[in-house]
Amino acid sequence: MEVLRQARGQLEELTGMTAESVSSFEQTEHGWTLEVEVLELERVPDTMSLLASYQVELDGQGQLTGYRRVRRYERGRSDPRRSGGH
């Protein structure tokens, strides 16, 4: 759990955006890979806010080594392409 908290904090610090949740994570031979949901643009009503999923790579000590945005979507819309996780 501490690795997940650290990853969210590091991503927030780097991007300046709020990390809302970790939607998936897995341990790799080099550390961890996570998918973090981030609030990119807050709108009114909230269901129109833009969120994004970021793939985050961490080393074995939990330090962020890289990240990239993998999708962007409105909060109120479901994503028919994915049912969650990898």
Side-chain angles (χ1 to χ4, degrees):
M1 293 305 296
E2 186 58 33
V3 169
L4 301 179
R5 279 191 283 276
Q6 287 178 359
R8 286 177 63 173
Q10 290 177 70
L11 186 62
E12 285 181 357
E13 188 174 336
L14 285 169
T15 64
M17 294 180 281
T18 302
E20 293 206 340
S21 65
V22 176
S23 57
S24 70
F25 70 97
E26 66 179 296
Q27 192 166 16
T28 66
E29 65 182 65
H30 301 293
W32 298 88
T33 299
L34 293 81
E35 192 162 307
V36 180
E37 306 306 312
V38 172
L39 177 62
E40 286 203 332
L41 180 61
E42 193 167 6
R43 291 184 174 160
V44 175
D46 190 47
T47 55
M48 298 301 291
S49 293
L50 287 179
L51 299 173
S53 294
Y54 281 79
Q55 181 177 327
V56 178
E57 304 290 334
L58 306 172
D59 65 17
Q61 288 72 49
Q63 295 301 306
L64 193 142
T65 59
Y67 70 93
R68 66 184 178 97
R69 185 172 64 197
V70 293
R71 68 184 176 116
R72 195 172 192 204
Y73 58 97
E74 289 178 339
R75 184 186 299 277
R77 294 190 186 253
S78 63
D79 187 351
R81 296 175 294 129
R82 296 169 54 116
S83 60
H86 279 36

